[in-house]
Amino acid sequence: MGKAAAAPSSSSGGKKAKKKWSAKKVKDKANNLVVLDKPTYERLFKEVPTYKLISQSVLVDRLRLNGSLARVAIRELEAQGLIKPLVRHHAQIIYTRATGDEKKGAESDEE
């Protein structure tokens, strides 16, 4: 008789709904470009040299580029003299716009 009285009390504790572990937030997939198209290419050379801070992360965020594509684009901008490096670190290289003073100084050195 003691077991029969204990059974209803133990079963009443199990009526609570089970916790669902799959109720976490799902991150949206970033749909970034893997190859430069014409409008983005033109925007890259027109807008990016005017940014005060230029890094791989900034290009990925603003132009919706792939990370590796952003690295290549930054190298191209630096080769053309449109941007100059500020901090060189193995993980992140930070650039800034090349002002007119530096461009004039480079031209006078060549003459």
Side-chain angles (χ1 to χ4, degrees):
M1 184 107 188
K3 288 184 179 181
S9 62
S10 64
S11 64
S12 63
K15 291 180 182 177
K16 192 175 177 182
K18 285 192 173 182
K19 185 170 180 176
K20 294 184 178 168
W21 293 102
S22 63
K24 59 187 172 197
K25 293 179 181 173
V26 179
K27 187 180 176 188
D28 293 333
K29 175 111 172 67
N31 196 13
N32 293 340
L33 294 175
V34 182
V35 179
L36 276 176
D37 54 353
K38 188 80 173 160
T40 309
Y41 184 81
E42 290 168 356
R43 222 175 118 201
L44 177 74
F45 284 95
K46 185 179 150 201
E47 290 180 16
V48 174
T50 64
Y51 296 165
K52 207 170 229 182
L53 176 95
I54 304 162
S55 69
Q56 180 183 346
S57 317
V58 170
L59 293 186
V60 167
D61 187 42
R62 294 190 189 173
L63 297 178
R64 296 282 169 226
L65 298 176
N66 191 342
S68 58
L69 190 60
R71 276 197 308 272
V72 172
I74 285 176
R75 278 190 222 121
E76 184 64 29
L77 287 166
E78 185 184 14
Q80 292 186 14
L82 297 172
I83 60 175
K84 65 173 189 171
L86 278 180
V87 179
R88 286 196 181 268
H89 189 267
H90 73 90
Q92 184 94 358
I93 305 174
I94 299 173
Y95 294 85
T96 190
R97 58 187 170 211
T99 58
D101 298 338
E102 287 122 15
K103 288 180 182 177
K104 289 176 186 172
E107 290 172 3
S108 63
D109 291 340
E110 293 172 2
E111 292 175 2

